[in-house]
Amino acid sequence: MAASDLAMAGYTPQRPDPKLPPVRINLYSDTQTRPTPAMKEAMMRAEVGDEQHGDDPTVHALCDRMAALMGKEAAVFMPTGTMCNVAATLVHCSPGDEILAHETAHILTSEGGSHAALGGFQILPLKGARGMYTPDELRAHIRGKSRHTPRQRLVEVEQTANIGGGAVWPKRVLDEIAAIAREHGMATHMDGARLMNACVAAGVPAAEMAAGFDSVWLDFTKGLGAPLGAVLCGSAAFIDEAWRWKQRLGGAMRQGGVCAAACLYALDHHVERLAEDHANAKALARGLAQMPGMRVEEPDTNLVFFDPAGTGVGAAELVRRLRLEGVQLSMLGGRIRACTHLDVTAAMIEETLGLMRAALARG
Ligand SMILES: *Cc1c(COP(=O)(O)O)cnc(C)c1O
């Protein structure tokens, strides 16, 4: 893994530049989907209570549904996925404990050092292709237990692996990783920001993907298209403790049902259709691969990483040229990332490929 590939969060959030044309085709991120009119309808009709007080019926409906989907006892609604991750590590670990995760994991690269700052945990970065480590790589990093070594407490995986190119961990590998963790007395946590993308791509139910994991969460603001919210699942005792951290972190809500209704709507209407995003990503990758000099990583799901270095036009320049045509891409390290989602159609992919060919032809 090149150092530049770890530069994931090295972007600066910026207000839109009024001098640029509006973005017509947004391949920047699946976080930029807008709630659909029907989703807004569902939010408007939501029955609500006081979530912090425990009486918002729509939040309860969402949590019950998510616990069942993930095959866990209980669930808690959180404002963000980042908060699911930090609440989970805070429940699983004590200060000084070590978490084993891939070197590109979101918890390590993109959460502001919260696991160290708030929990006093260190993260041991594991290596492996496409954001995934092998069971052997995990075994090789199990420390002997002594008064000198940090207590290794938690094994973390990311399904799909974001910086790994939206790669899907096979269920059999996940089961093996979980078994190794258990054998060494460690807990297991799955960052399932895009878990449903993995489930749809692999045809494996979420409960089976997460079966070996003590905690797992799903983000509703990625491909599922809700405006905010993520749900963390685990045993009843785990969720009780996660609730304490939610309170401590300042994240309890009031009429959260308005947002939970969007998440329930997404579960009903936006899961199966992720297959379209995957087909669009594959079409984009196929088209890119036909451009001389373009290096394209074959996508498992909705993230397409490509490197135009061999075309004679650099990545930053290509992103700039496409932006001037109203197409928004992102750059991670030296690579370009295109992300397909709810607001990207097959026709937009064709148009993007045409604009890309024209941009490259200018040399
Ligand atoms: C987006 C993302 C997160 C964080 O989720 P937010 O809802 O943006 O806080 C965590 N892990 C992965 C893999 C992600 O892609």
Side-chain angles (χ1 to χ4, degrees):
M1 183 68 54
S4 63
D5 289 336
L6 300 179
M8 165 64 182
Y11 69 91
T12 309
Q14 279 170 343
R15 295 191 183 200
D17 181 345
K19 292 190 293 296
L20 288 174
V23 175
R24 289 179 301 112
I25 302 179
N26 195 336
L27 298 169
Y28 183 82
S29 172
D30 45 11
T31 57
Q32 303 210 348
T33 46
R34 301 288 192 262
T36 61
M39 181 181 274
K40 286 183 189 163
E41 270 299 311
M43 295 172 77
M44 233 154 55
R45 281 197 309 269
E47 207 186 317
V48 296
D50 183 339
E51 193 251 7
Q52 194 185 103
H53 192 244
D55 62 15
D56 187 299
T58 309
V59 172
H60 283 311
L62 175 64
C63 289
D64 291 350
R65 178 130 175 225
M66 283 301 294
L69 180 69
M70 297 293 183
K72 305 296 178 204
E73 281 174 4
V76 54
F77 190 37
M78 295 285 202
T80 70
T82 302
M83 221 167 112
C84 290
N85 271 340
V86 74
T89 64
L90 285 162
V91 175
H92 287 304
C93 305
S94 304
D97 285 356
E98 189 168 63
I99 300 167
L100 292 85
H102 192 271
E103 62 178 351
T104 60
H106 199 276
I107 59 166
L108 204 152
T109 59
S110 308
E111 298 186 358
S114 58
H115 305 271
L118 305 177
F121 315 138
Q122 65 185 36
I123 304 178
L124 181 61
L126 304 179
K127 294 192 184 303
R130 307 183 70 215
M132 301 178 285
Y133 50 85
T134 61
D136 281 345
E137 168 77 357
L138 175 60
R139 271 193 207 93
H141 287 82
I142 306 281
R143 299 178 193 275
K145 288 190 171 55
S146 86
R147 64 177 65 160
H148 305 292
T149 53
R151 200 175 284 123
Q152 294 189 304
R153 183 62 201 122
L154 183 66
V155 170
E156 195 251 14
V157 300
E158 205 172 281
Q159 179 76 306
T160 65
N162 180 4
I163 304 184
V168 177
W169 296 69
K171 173 181 156 47
R172 134 191 85 69
V173 175
L174 292 173
D175 288 346
E176 201 176 335
I177 298 269
I180 296 167
R182 256 195 314 280
E183 180 190 326
H184 293 277
M186 290 187 274
T188 46
H189 174 66
M190 177 181 285
D191 172 340
R194 295 186 180 80
L195 175 59
M196 297 321 294
N197 289 87
C199 294
V200 167
V204 175
E208 284 181 32
M209 282 287 191
F213 289 75
D214 298 309
S215 51
V216 55
W217 62 271
L218 176 68
D219 211 332
F220 285 92
T221 66
K222 301 283 164 82
L224 298 182
L228 69 83
V231 175
L232 175 64
C233 306
S235 69
F238 171 87
I239 293 301
D240 253 3
E241 283 303 299
W243 245 109
R244 177 177 294 278
W245 279 110
K246 170 172 159 151
Q247 190 70 33
R248 285 179 179 165
L249 294 166
M253 291 175 273
R254 298 301 184 190
Q255 284 68 47
V258 174
C259 296
C263 302
L264 283 164
Y265 180 88
L267 287 175
D268 285 335
H269 301 279
H270 291 173
V271 174
E272 295 310 318
R273 64 152 305 287
L274 292 171
E276 285 172 43
D277 298 344
H278 302 167
N280 285 337
K282 284 193 165 51
L284 180 64
R286 267 197 310 276
L288 289 167
Q290 284 161 8
M291 298 176 192
M294 190 72 86
R295 263 194 40 221
V296 188
E297 297 166 36
E298 182 57 31
D300 281 355
T301 53
N302 67 326
L303 304 176
V304 184
F305 283 72
F306 55 101
D307 178 359
T311 66
V313 179
E317 176 58 18
L318 188 56
V319 168
R320 194 188 68 83
R321 288 184 191 179
L322 269 289
R323 179 63 189 82
L324 291 175
E325 303 292 340
V327 179
Q328 181 76 64
L329 297 157
S330 63
M331 272 190 66
L332 298 184
R335 301 179 296 168
I336 301 177
R337 188 183 84 169
C339 182
T340 59
H341 53 74
L342 197 53
D343 296 341
V344 175
T345 62
M348 289 179 183
I349 295 298
E350 284 314 309
E351 188 181 347
T352 300
L353 286 167
L355 292 167
M356 189 89 69
R357 278 188 288 268
L360 290 172
R362 280 184 270 141

